């Protein structure tokens, strides 16, 4: 049971006053909290936590039987991660430490949570305010109502948990903020969360949920994704506001160990081609090839296994699309982000009410064909929409997509058989296949493009598809090799009336631009997009400012 206000005041009397701050009004509170808020205006000086000034709020000790491997802050002074080796299992684990609350602070936090529901009804002048500032104002006003004076440490701990629970993601807030995490996986009630860490790979955490708390978190995740989940429809695929992909099952209807969820984290800002070049996924030669191919309306398919970087690559090379071209993207869950004005971003819809229609990728693709797009981007091909996609290719639309397959042969086999059933003569409309994988470089897992292959038509004597490998990857030296012959380059030169020397000059210029962006650290997708668009409109301006490309952005 929450403590009553007189009891809170009794405990608060034992706390030290805040030094150097204006004392909070300690007059007996009006027990009608919401009425008090409507009557009074508060001008409280709200102290801000500063790690350098106040030090850490976290007390962290590695448990017995563990050996510390690494530690780092996610939220400096308030959320600490310790990577520790479990000496019993010989596995590294991910230990999260947050501020520890005293019994009084915990009871006060519970009371604040309860009363916040009443006072977080915003007036017109509060609607435009920053949510965090508004929350702090309401919290301090409530503490004023209770007649309590708190030490700064107690105040900062309460602030942390209120912001975490009301604005953040609750118990998984630190995980959502951790830039080293790719996947967050909850397998059920009272089961530790598992993560995929960029450096330590699959790791177990010290976080687990009771059934009621987990169900509440699941419903909150669904609501913040703009979707509905219930025992009637217990499965959900959605996109979180930060762009991460959510797969969720509620209760024990489908997953017998209880509610489960998997969050595949995506950055708000997508990878740019220059970033992928920096990470070694592609070389400047390969990106120059994609740049010319996309500009000249060649269709692409990115294939690979799970988490091989297919969607990131698709999104990155889409920045090469000319600035005024009309683009339509079609996805199950929103992942593609373009810095492009003439772009229709469409997503599928499940049934939302009795009598409403399901809108599938096939429906969206069929509608896209009537919108006269120059480029169609499909998140992933996995069903009957493949036939429509290849019909779009055959009717002159440039299309980019991804597909799960380990090699070009496996991709063609999947395309030609159930459930895709794309006729072989239609597959020839596809121009380029990029094969990607997640591989080891020593102990580090990295993403690499294993090969880029052209579809060169059907061999009349055998009826098989002819393919031409343009680039392949040497895992020993970690380099990409150009094989010396490209039908795509030859076709572009012929259509544009370029000689071999002019083609090579154009390829060289684009490589120089990519290298210059990398050297000048112009890697964010907005800056990269603007330079590509500038080159499309006025190549000479970009080439003249190659030594300082920031002038192109002015």
């Amino acid at each position: 049971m929450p403590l009553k206000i007189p009891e809170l005041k009794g405990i608060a009397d034992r706390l030290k006053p805040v030094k150097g701050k204006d004392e909070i009004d300690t007059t007996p509170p009006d027990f009608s909290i919401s009425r008090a808020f409507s009557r009074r205006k508060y001008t409280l000086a709200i102290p801000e936590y500063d790690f350098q000034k106040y030090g850490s709020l976290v007390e962290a000790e590695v448990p017995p039987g563990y050996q510390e491997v690494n530690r780092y802050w996610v939220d400096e002074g308030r959320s600490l991660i310790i990577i520790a080796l479990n000496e019993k299992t010989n596995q590294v684990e991910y230990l999260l430490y947050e501020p520890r609350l005293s019994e009084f602070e915990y009871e006060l936090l519970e009371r604040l949570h309860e009363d916040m529901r009443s006072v977080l009804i915003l007036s017109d002048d509060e609607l435009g305010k920053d949510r965090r500032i508004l929350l702090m104002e309401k919290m301090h006003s409530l503490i004023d109502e209770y007649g309590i004076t708190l030490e700064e440490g107690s105040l900062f701990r309460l602030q942390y948990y209120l912001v975490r629970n009301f604005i953040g993601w609750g118990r998984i807030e630190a995980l959502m903020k951790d830039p080293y995490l790719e996947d967050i996986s909850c397998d059920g009630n009272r089961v530790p969360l598992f993560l995929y860490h960029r450096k330590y790979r699959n790791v177990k955490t010290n976080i687990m949920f009771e059934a009621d708390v987990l169900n509440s978190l699941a419903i909150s995740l669904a609501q913040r994704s703009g979707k509905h989940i219930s025992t009637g429809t217990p499965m959900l695929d959605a996109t979180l506001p930060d762009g991460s992909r959510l797969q969720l099952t509620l209760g024990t209807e489908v997953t017998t160990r209880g509610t489960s969820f998997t969050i595949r984290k995506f950055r708000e800002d997508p990878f740019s081609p220059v970033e992928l070049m920096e990470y070694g996924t592609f070389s400047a030669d390969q990106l120059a090839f994609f740049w010319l191919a996309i500009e000249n309306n060649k269709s692409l398919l990115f294939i690979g296994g799970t988490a091989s970087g297919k969607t990131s690559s698709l999104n990155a090379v889409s920045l090469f699309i000319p600035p005024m071209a009309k683009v339509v993207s079609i996805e199950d869950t929103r992942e593609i982000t373009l810095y492009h004005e003439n772009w229709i971003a469409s997503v599928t819809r499940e049934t939302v009410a009795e009598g409403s229609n399901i809108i599938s990728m096939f429906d969206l693709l069929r509608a896209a064909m009537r919108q006269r797009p120059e480029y169609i981007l499909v998140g992933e091909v996995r069903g009957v929409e493949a036939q429509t996609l290849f019909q779009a290719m055959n009717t002159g639309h440039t299309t980019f997509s991804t597909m799960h397959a380990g090699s070009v042969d496996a991709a063609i086999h999947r395309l030609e058989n159930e459930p895709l059933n794309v006729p072989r003569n239609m597959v020839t409309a596809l121009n380029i296949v990029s094969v990607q994988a997640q591989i080891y470089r020593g102990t580090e897992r990295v993403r690499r493009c294993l090969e880029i292959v052209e579809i060169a038509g059907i061999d009349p004597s055998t009826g098989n598809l002819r393919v031409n490998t343009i680039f392949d990857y040497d895992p020993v030296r970690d380099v990409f090799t150009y094989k010396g012959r490209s039908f795509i380059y030859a076709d572009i030169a012929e259509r544009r009336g370029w000689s071999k020397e002019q083609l090579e000059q154009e390829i060289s210029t684009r490589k120089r631009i990519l290298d210059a962006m990398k050297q000048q650290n112009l890697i964010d997708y907005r800056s990269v997009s603007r330079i590509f668009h500038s080159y499309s409109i006025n190549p000479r301006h970009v080439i003249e400012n190659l030594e300082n490309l920031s002038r192109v952005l002015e």
Side-chain angles (χ1 to χ4, degrees):
M1 290 289 292
L3 290 175
K4 303 298 182 185
I5 286 184
E7 294 172 317
L8 285 171
K9 286 191 69 179
I11 299 173
D13 290 339
R14 301 199 298 271
L15 297 174
K16 296 177 184 176
V18 179
K19 294 181 180 178
K21 302 287 181 185
D22 294 334
E23 286 199 1
I24 298 173
D25 182 17
T26 57
T27 53
D30 184 337
F31 285 81
S32 175
I33 301 295
S34 57
R35 193 165 67 248
F37 270 98
S38 64
R39 278 191 290 114
R40 299 176 58 183
K41 297 288 182 184
Y42 296 94
T43 54
L44 300 173
I46 300 173
E48 284 288 330
Y49 172 71
D50 183 340
F51 176 67
Q52 301 300 328
K53 184 177 179 182
Y54 298 106
S56 173
L57 299 178
V58 176
E59 298 171 14
E61 291 182 7
V62 178
Y66 285 81
Q67 183 181 334
E68 183 174 326
V69 176
N70 189 15
R71 68 168 61 198
Y72 58 90
W73 292 108
V74 171
D75 182 354
E76 197 171 37
R78 294 180 284 200
S79 297
L80 176 67
I81 306 303
I82 294 182
I83 306 295
L85 179 70
N86 186 326
E87 294 172 347
K88 187 176 180 180
T89 62
N90 205 34
Q91 297 282 330
V92 291
E93 296 185 12
Y94 182 102
L95 308 178
L96 168 65
Y97 292 90
E98 296 177 296
R100 189 177 298 168
L101 297 176
S102 67
E103 185 181 347
F104 164 66
E105 290 166 349
Y106 182 78
E107 295 286 353
L108 180 55
L109 181 64
E110 290 287 302
R111 180 58 190 267
L112 286 167
H113 265 285
E114 184 182 328
D115 289 341
M116 279 285 188
R117 296 193 183 107
S118 303
V119 301
L120 283 176
I121 300 168
L122 306 184
S123 60
D124 290 342
D125 60 330
E126 291 173 329
L127 288 173
K129 271 193 175 184
D130 180 86
R131 293 187 303 161
R132 189 181 180 282
I133 293 171
L134 190 60
L135 186 67
M136 290 300 96
E137 287 177 355
K138 299 290 188 183
M139 168 196 158
H140 282 261
S141 299
L142 274 175
I143 291 173
D144 180 37
E145 290 291 325
Y146 301 158
I148 296 173
T149 304
L150 295 176
E151 287 182 327
E152 284 172 331
S154 296
L155 204 58
F156 295 142
R157 285 190 285 272
L158 292 172
Q159 285 178 353
Y160 171 77
Y161 282 106
L162 283 172
V163 171
R164 188 196 81 169
N165 296 339
F166 275 98
I167 299 174
W169 299 97
R171 188 77 171 95
I172 63 170
E173 169 76 353
L175 309 184
M176 296 296 288
K177 283 184 172 181
D178 190 339
Y180 295 105
L181 299 185
E182 292 187 9
D183 279 45
I184 302 168
S185 178
C186 174
D187 301 334
N189 307 330
R190 296 195 58 77
V191 179
L193 265 63
F194 286 83
L195 312 171
Y196 188 86
H197 196 282
R198 293 185 195 278
K199 185 173 182 182
Y200 301 101
R201 299 189 288 279
N202 292 301
V203 291
K204 185 170 80 170
T205 72
N206 60 344
I207 304 168
M208 62 176 69
F209 297 99
E210 297 294 337
D212 56 342
V213 178
L214 184 54
N215 290 340
S216 176
L217 175 63
I219 291 166
S220 173
L221 288 170
Q223 288 173 343
R224 291 179 71 168
S225 305
K227 298 288 185 75
H228 168 74
I229 194 165
S230 65
T231 52
T233 53
M235 292 185 68
L236 173 68
D237 287 306
T239 304
L240 295 173
D242 68 348
S244 300
R245 185 193 295 170
L246 170 69
Q247 200 289 321
L248 181 64
T249 61
L250 183 65
T252 56
E253 302 289 322
V254 180
T255 47
T256 55
R257 299 174 82 187
T259 295
S260 69
F261 64 82
T262 300
I263 297 172
R264 288 195 61 192
K265 289 178 63 181
F266 289 95
R267 308 186 314 173
E268 288 187 43
D269 291 346
F271 286 103
S272 71
V274 183
E275 276 185 284
L276 294 183
M277 185 168 70
E278 215 173 40
Y279 288 129
T281 305
F282 296 104
S283 66
D285 289 274
Q286 290 171 315
L287 291 173
F289 172 75
F290 283 132
W291 191 353
L292 265 170
I294 288 167
E295 196 177 90
N296 288 275
N297 300 101
K298 305 301 180 185
S299 293
L300 294 145
L301 184 66
F302 289 91
I303 66 172
T306 302
S308 58
K310 301 183 296 294
T311 305
S312 296
S313 297
L314 170 67
N315 206 117
V317 302
S318 298
L319 302 184
F320 292 129
I321 293 173
M324 301 310 292
K326 183 168 184 178
V327 182
V328 176
S329 64
I330 298 164
E331 301 171 89
D332 278 332
T333 53
R334 174 75 184 278
E335 293 174 15
I336 294 170
T337 304
L338 301 182
Y339 189 70
H340 198 92
E341 287 188 320
N342 194 6
W343 167 41
I344 298 172
S346 55
V347 292
T348 58
R349 188 190 74 176
E350 298 172 5
T351 180
V352 292
E354 190 176 345
S356 65
N357 295 328
I358 295 173
I359 299 174
S360 66
M361 290 185 79
F362 177 77
D363 297 324
L364 291 173
L365 193 52
R366 192 170 54 185
M369 298 284 286
R370 302 190 183 105
Q371 294 165 348
R372 202 177 174 272
E374 292 172 68
Y375 294 85
I376 300 174
L377 278 56
V378 179
E380 184 179 343
V381 174
R382 61 168 74 92
V384 292
E385 70 275 359
Q387 293 180 33
T388 308
L389 182 71
F390 276 85
Q391 283 174 352
M393 286 186 203
N394 278 270
T395 53
H397 295 85
T398 306
T399 66
F400 309 156
S401 189
T402 69
M403 190 171 74
H404 281 270
S407 65
V408 176
D409 288 342
I412 293 169
H413 185 74
R414 273 201 70 195
L415 285 169
E416 292 182 342
N417 291 281
E418 292 284 349
L420 307 183
N421 292 325
V422 178
R424 180 165 294 184
N425 60 345
M426 288 179 68
V427 176
T428 58
L430 174 64
N431 302 114
I432 302 163
V433 179
S434 175
V435 185
Q436 297 195 205
Q438 195 174 47
I439 64 168
Y440 282 98
R441 291 288 302 160
T443 58
E444 186 184 4
R445 287 185 83 170
V446 295
R447 292 176 174 90
R448 292 288 184 267
C449 172
L450 300 185
E451 60 178 347
I452 297 176
V453 174
E454 296 174 335
I455 305 295
I458 296 176
D459 188 325
S461 59
T462 62
N464 294 328
L465 282 171
R466 293 166 56 218
V467 296
N468 174 48
T469 302
I470 316 165
F471 296 94
D472 65 6
Y473 173 65
D474 180 353
V476 176
R477 294 184 297 143
D478 193 31
V479 294
F480 303 96
T481 307
Y482 176 54
K483 304 302 283 186
R485 186 179 70 158
S486 167
F487 296 123
I488 299 286
Y489 275 154
D491 181 67
I492 291 169
E494 184 182 344
R495 289 172 181 268
R496 290 208 168 190
W498 290 343
S499 65
K500 185 179 178 183
E501 290 73 24
Q502 286 174 306
L503 174 66
E504 288 175 352
Q505 177 63 41
E506 187 64 32
I507 295 167
S508 174
T509 300
R510 294 179 190 228
K511 282 169 55 182
R512 284 168 55 214
I513 293 169
L514 289 162
D515 286 329
M517 283 192 279
K518 181 182 173 183
Q519 290 163 10
Q520 295 168 34
N521 201 36
L522 294 170
I523 61 173
D524 70 282
Y525 83 109
R526 290 181 179 87
S527 299
V528 168
S529 252
R530 287 173 61 190
I531 291 168
F532 292 155
H533 291 174
S534 295
Y535 185 79
S536 178
I537 296 164
N538 187 356
R540 181 176 292 178
H541 178 57
V542 177
I543 294 165
E544 286 171 354
N545 291 285
L546 206 56
E547 298 301 317
N548 185 5
L549 286 169
S550 57
R551 291 181 194 146
V552 178
L553 304 175
E554 293 172 356

